[in-house]
Amino acid sequence: MNKKLIIIIVAVALICAGGAGAAVYFLAPPKGEAAEADKHDGDKKTKKKKKEDDEEEAGPMKYLTVEKVIVMLRRSPNETVPHYLSADLVVAVPVKKEKDAKEHLPLLRSVAVRTLSSLPMDKAQAMTIDEYAEALNKAFEEEYEKDEREQPFKEVMIGKLILE
């Protein structure tokens, strides 16, 4: 009885091993597809690595302020009362580029004054905070592209805004 039991166990093991081998053979992708699948996985890994590098490059953020940017808004043709806009800007800077960004604060103030002072009062009243931030970020990008320099900060946000 022991010999029959051993033979049955060996036979079942051989059948299972044969089934597993057949499954691997029939379910594995052909050589060309395997190489393409490996390349695709490599692309995913490369993109993931690049994203991690970008996050590491950015690292922790520091926030600098450009306080009291005050401009007189353009008047309508029949209007005699002057209108003013006062804003405090917050600049998001990677810690590694903090020194460069601090050196650029006078330029940021100048671009902000130029951008904000070109607004007519009625348009300025209708704009949201996000629209102000978008307009300023666009102006900064254009300025740095024109000068062919790298922008040392990620974005500019509005810390305070007063229209009078």
Side-chain angles (χ1 to χ4, degrees):
M1 177 115 165
N2 277 341
K3 285 185 179 183
K4 286 183 181 179
L5 185 59
I6 291 174
I7 292 173
I8 291 173
I9 291 174
V10 169
V12 169
L14 287 173
I15 291 172
C16 288
V24 168
Y25 177 78
F26 287 111
L27 296 178
K31 297 259 186 208
E33 289 180 20
E36 190 174 312
D38 287 344
K39 180 183 175 197
H40 184 66
D41 288 344
D43 289 345
K44 284 183 181 177
K45 289 177 184 175
T46 303
K47 287 178 184 176
K48 184 177 180 184
K49 175 82 171 137
K50 183 178 180 190
K51 184 177 179 184
E52 289 172 358
D53 289 345
D54 289 345
E55 289 172 2
E56 287 176 9
E57 179 184 307
M61 299 297 279
K62 188 99 177 191
Y63 297 93
L64 306 175
T65 58
V66 179
E67 295 180 346
K68 297 181 182 169
V69 176
I70 301 172
V71 298
M72 188 164 75
L73 298 172
R74 288 192 352 225
R75 296 186 216 175
S76 300
N78 297 330
E79 194 170 12
T80 58
V81 179
H83 295 284
Y84 296 92
L85 180 145
S86 174
D88 289 350
L89 308 179
V90 179
V91 183
V93 180
V95 171
K96 295 177 182 178
K97 295 184 177 183
E98 180 182 4
K99 184 179 179 211
D100 292 339
K102 283 183 177 179
E103 292 173 358
H104 288 235
L105 289 178
L107 174 65
L108 297 181
R109 178 179 291 279
S110 174
V111 173
V113 166
R114 186 176 343 121
T115 303
L116 295 174
S117 65
S118 69
L119 295 172
M121 179 59 181
D122 55 342
K123 183 176 179 183
Q125 285 178 321
M127 289 175 70
T128 65
I129 297 294
D130 291 335
E131 290 172 335
Y132 278 106
E134 184 180 322
L136 287 170
N137 280 306
K138 183 179 176 186
F140 292 131
E141 287 174 11
E142 289 173 357
E143 182 71 23
Y144 279 95
E145 283 178 16
K146 182 181 81 174
D147 293 344
E148 296 177 0
R149 292 192 292 179
E150 182 183 354
Q151 190 170 308
F153 55 90
K154 294 294 180 190
E155 70 174 319
V156 175
M157 300 168 281
I158 306 295
K160 179 171 51 172
L161 181 75
I162 299 171
L163 272 171
E164 195 174 292

